[in-house]
Amino acid sequence: MTFAPTPIPSRTQYVLEAIKHRILTGQLSPGQALVEADLAAQFGVSKTPVREALKTLAGTGLVVMSQYKGVTVRTVDAAMAREVYDVRLLLEPEALRRTITREASLAEAQEALVRAEQAQDRADRSLANRDFHRALYLPCGNPLLASMLDEVRDQAALVSTVAWAADPSWEREAHEHQEILRVALAGDAPEAGRLLHAHIAHFVRRAFPDDQEGL
């Protein structure tokens, strides 16, 4: 017998999305403390949905829970970025190749590119880009592979947001996304995988030029 996952209560979901948006716009900066009572007052809720939202965000890697420091926004540095992008480099191009080989629909990837182009801030753009990449790997036919990539996608969005604050290079990434999608829609799995690998590797190299080990 299988059980469906327990849905997140609406208040918790509201707080979760609000905190995530603040993190990805830089309103909550890396290393900043997140105090349950303060957040509850800001959002007009009890501490319970805030606590549950923070637990979920810790699970996705956007915040860190420490016995001594409490909850803080995750700090982004070259080591953290390298860990996240190593996983993506190993898994994401292969997942895209499988998606293309299966002739799966890429309509959601096309829609995500439109949303990224129309985004009003870094958070919306980052989340749209995250959805674009997910639309490339999700139909790969291997749920475990897709779930492994899902586990790092919020952290990848955080890396991109921090990097864009220093170097707003999203137009370059947007052109790369368009080319990846064009080749994918043409059915060229090897070339699409190669372009995606180069796209991921080049981004983190540009974002952290002083630390190239392992990238």
Side-chain angles (χ1 to χ4, degrees):
M1 179 181 297
T2 59
F3 297 91
T6 303
I8 298 176
S10 59
R11 287 188 178 182
T12 300
Q13 187 66 44
Y14 162 71
V15 173
L16 172 67
E17 295 301 327
I19 295 175
K20 180 186 292 187
H21 193 271
R22 291 186 181 189
I23 291 173
L24 295 179
T25 53
Q27 295 178 60
L28 294 171
S29 57
Q32 183 172 339
L34 301 176
V35 181
E36 286 183 12
D38 292 346
L39 291 170
Q42 291 174 30
F43 297 127
V45 299
S46 69
K47 290 196 291 185
T48 298
V50 173
R51 185 178 304 116
E52 293 305 312
L54 292 175
K55 287 180 182 178
T56 300
L57 290 168
T60 63
L62 286 185
V63 306
V64 176
M65 290 184 163
S66 167
Q67 180 179 355
Y68 303 104
K69 295 183 178 180
V71 183
T72 57
V73 179
R74 177 139 188 204
T75 299
V76 174
D77 56 20
M80 178 270 197
R82 184 167 59 245
E83 290 175 2
V84 172
Y85 276 71
D86 275 351
V87 173
R88 295 186 63 197
L89 285 168
L90 288 168
L91 301 180
E92 202 167 322
E94 175 59 24
L96 173 58
R97 286 189 285 266
R98 294 187 181 199
T99 293
I100 296 170
T101 301
R102 296 180 70 239
E103 299 183 356
S105 172
L106 292 171
E108 291 190 12
Q110 293 174 296
E111 188 271 337
L113 283 190
V114 173
R115 284 193 289 114
E117 185 176 350
Q118 298 174 345
Q120 299 299 308
D121 57 38
R122 288 202 306 269
D124 288 343
R125 185 177 293 109
S126 183
L127 292 171
N129 285 345
R130 183 190 70 163
D131 290 345
F132 169 76
H133 281 273
R134 189 170 193 259
L136 297 181
Y137 67 71
L138 191 63
C140 69
N142 185 326
L144 180 58
L145 175 56
S147 68
M148 291 172 70
L149 285 164
D150 271 351
E151 289 182 6
V152 299
R153 64 189 182 127
D154 277 350
Q155 296 174 62
L158 178 59
V159 171
S160 66
T161 298
V162 171
W164 286 342
D167 177 19
S169 60
W170 52 75
E171 289 186 0
R172 180 186 300 144
E173 278 92 61
H175 289 307
E176 292 173 0
H177 284 172
Q178 291 166 4
E179 182 63 11
I180 291 166
L181 183 58
R182 183 190 68 79
V183 174
L185 290 171
D188 190 341
E191 178 64 6
R194 186 193 70 78
L195 288 174
L196 180 57
H197 188 282
H199 166 72
I200 295 169
H202 291 168
F203 175 80
V204 75
R205 283 173 180 157
R206 290 193 298 265
F208 299 95
D210 296 332
D211 190 333
Q212 301 300 314
E213 181 184 353
L215 296 176

